[in-house]
């Protein structure tokens, strides 16, 4: 019985037709899975699989093990699924972390709708822009804006957050409308993390790089937007974050044909093979919420589900 886990992995490799497909389904690195099978073969004293560059074949001993184990493990999976389906009701706690700006806008809408649909589930939301340290905690889901660091956690890219330039109508009336990015040097700039350097692009693929000398530099988007509303200058922030300010006439787009930048938006989580039902439900709910509600000029939503994890 001490080799039960390794035998289960062996059966999965055979069922999936190879190490890479089995590793993807199991949520583990291919190299790790290969080492586990090699250790099992050494413990059993026989080769189970014949590895070549073209294909993977069962040895005679491997075929005999597989034929006996496959129905037993299928039955175990069925029994486990039946029991979990009865006992893992949609209740309990989900620990979530997200960037401050994103969680205060469209993400909060999705979390609220999820809580209303599943009243027995509790959400604990930590709002923080310290992404990298959050990935090393016991949180269930971390929403991450930007390129992912090297991580063993699973992730799904939900879309891209688009940035744009905005200023108060009063500021533009006083300083004048802009017609090209080159004119930004003549204006007051409000700098906000993470956009210290501005990389602007337009619909024709033209690019403009600006390293502005800021009138005001802040590390919280709320402060930058408030300063822009008061007429201090031009700010480069996510379009979704200032949508209600532009609708209210407090801000207006500057150089609307130019994009102020974009950052991928990820949902990061642990291996879902062992995740409780409530967590899998939350992941799928938020993913669908993004695709149904946020396909707009403010957020570009990915067309398909892209899940990835660190590979050794």
């Amino acid at each position: 019985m001490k080799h039960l886990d390794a035998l289960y992995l062996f059966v999965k490799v055979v069922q999936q037709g190879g190490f890479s497909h089995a590793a993807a389904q199991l949520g583990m690195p291919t190299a790790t899975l290969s080492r586990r099978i090699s250790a099992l073969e050494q413990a059993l004293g026989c080769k189970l699989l014949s590895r070549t560059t073209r294909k993977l074949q069962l040895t005679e001993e491997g075929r005999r093990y597989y034929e006996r184990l496959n129905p037993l493990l299928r039955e175990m999976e069925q029994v486990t699924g039946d029991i979990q389906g009865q006992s893992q009701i949609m209740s309990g706690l989900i620990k979530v972390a997200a960037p401050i700006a994103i969680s205060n806008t469209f993400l909060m809408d999705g979390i609220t709708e999820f809580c209303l649909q599943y009243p027995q589930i509790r959400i604990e939301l930590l709002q923080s822009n310290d992404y990298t340290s959050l990935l090393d905690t016991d949180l269930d889901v971390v929403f991450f804006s930007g390129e992912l660091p090297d991580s063993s956690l699973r992730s799904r890219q939900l879309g891209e957050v688009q940035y744009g330039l905005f200023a108060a109508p009063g500021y533009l009336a006083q300083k004048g409308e802009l017609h090209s990015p080159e004119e930004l040097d003549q204006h007051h700039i409000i700098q906000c993390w993470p956009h210290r350097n501005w990389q602007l692009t337009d619909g024709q693929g033209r690019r403009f790089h600006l390293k502005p000398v800021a009138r005001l530099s802040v590390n919280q988007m709320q402060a930058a937007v408030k300063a822009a509303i008061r007429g201090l200058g031009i700010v480069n922030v996510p379009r979704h974050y200032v949508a209600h300010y532009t609708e209210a006439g407090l801000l207006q787009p500057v150089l609307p044909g130019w994009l102020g930048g974009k950052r991928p938006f990820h949902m990061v989580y642990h291996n879902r093979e062992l995740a409780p039902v409530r967590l899998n439900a939350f992941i799928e709910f938020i993913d669908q919420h993004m695709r149904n509600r946020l396909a707009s000029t403010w957020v570009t939503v990915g067309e398909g589900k892209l899940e990835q994890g660190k590979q050794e």
Side-chain angles (χ1 to χ4, degrees):
M1 291 295 291
K2 67 178 181 178
H3 302 307
L4 184 59
D5 288 344
L7 289 169
Y8 174 78
L9 297 179
F10 161 68
V11 171
K12 285 298 180 183
V13 170
V14 179
Q15 288 177 346
Q16 296 299 315
F19 284 93
S20 59
H21 292 295
Q25 185 192 60
L26 293 166
M28 64 190 305
T30 304
T32 301
L33 178 58
S34 180
R35 287 196 298 268
R36 293 286 300 276
I37 299 302
S38 295
L40 174 64
E41 290 174 328
Q42 187 173 2
L44 296 177
C46 64
K47 293 289 289 184
L48 302 175
L49 298 167
S50 176
R51 303 167 176 84
T52 66
T53 56
R54 289 190 172 184
K55 58 183 177 179
L56 195 67
Q57 289 184 326
L58 284 167
T59 64
E60 177 60 26
E61 291 82 2
R63 182 189 61 79
R64 291 165 61 187
Y65 269 106
Y66 178 74
E67 290 178 351
R68 297 288 296 272
L69 290 171
N70 187 40
L72 296 176
L73 292 177
R74 285 188 180 276
E75 179 65 21
M76 288 176 61
E77 287 180 334
Q78 182 64 48
V79 171
T80 302
D82 291 344
I83 293 174
Q84 288 181 340
Q86 296 172 7
S87 62
Q88 291 193 21
I89 61 174
M90 300 292 276
S91 64
L93 175 66
I94 300 176
K95 296 182 178 181
V96 180
I100 296 172
I102 289 177
S103 58
N104 282 340
T105 53
F106 59 82
L107 182 58
M108 183 54 66
D109 294 336
I111 292 176
T112 301
E113 289 184 21
F114 180 82
C115 290
L116 292 172
Q117 184 168 331
Y118 300 101
Q120 300 301 315
I121 294 179
R122 296 176 293 118
I123 302 291
E124 185 176 292
L125 174 62
L126 173 62
Q127 296 176 286
S128 173
N129 290 330
D130 186 11
Y131 309 114
T132 52
S133 64
L134 292 175
L135 295 178
D136 297 327
T137 65
D138 62 348
L139 294 164
D140 296 308
V141 178
V142 175
F143 292 92
F144 193 98
S145 180
E147 297 297 333
L148 285 173
D150 189 18
S151 173
S152 62
L153 298 177
R154 306 286 291 178
S155 68
R156 180 180 297 183
Q157 183 171 333
L158 300 177
E160 290 182 328
V161 176
Q162 297 183 350
Y163 283 67
L165 308 186
F166 298 88
Y171 171 85
L172 294 174
Q174 180 184 5
K175 298 293 185 178
E177 299 278 349
L178 284 79
H179 303 287
S180 70
E182 288 78 7
E183 299 176 49
L184 285 167
D185 284 334
Q186 306 168 24
H187 286 264
H188 297 161
I189 300 299
I190 303 169
Q191 225 171 28
C192 180
W193 179 95
H195 282 269
R196 300 301 187 188
N197 298 322
W198 293 5
Q199 299 281 354
L200 309 183
T201 58
D202 70 356
Q204 300 177 0
R206 293 179 298 177
R207 297 178 181 274
F208 181 81
H209 174 76
L210 177 68
K211 189 174 183 179
V213 178
R215 183 79 180 276
L216 173 67
S217 295
V218 299
N219 65 350
Q220 290 295 335
M221 200 173 302
Q222 184 177 6
V225 170
K226 185 174 182 179
I229 292 174
R230 294 291 299 273
L232 185 61
I234 299 172
V235 68
N236 184 4
V237 291
R239 292 176 169 178
H240 72 85
Y241 187 76
V242 295
H244 58 294
Y245 295 124
T246 58
E247 292 170 359
L250 298 174
L251 291 174
Q252 70 180 62
V254 175
L255 300 173
W258 288 80
L259 193 67
K262 58 184 180 180
R263 290 165 64 83
F265 184 50
H266 299 272
M267 178 166 48
V268 184
Y269 43 83
H270 294 279
N271 183 4
R272 294 181 62 189
E273 292 290 324
L274 303 177
V277 174
R278 63 179 178 274
L279 180 55
N280 285 324
F282 178 79
I283 290 171
E284 295 303 325
F285 185 94
I286 294 297
D287 180 88
Q288 197 61 46
H289 169 79
M290 290 285 293
R291 300 177 195 284
N292 289 345
R293 304 291 178 85
L294 301 176
S296 68
T297 57
W298 307 116
V299 179
T300 301
V301 182
E303 295 181 358
K305 298 177 181 178
L306 176 60
E307 291 188 331
Q308 58 187 12
K310 177 182 176 182
Q311 299 292 322
E312 292 186 2

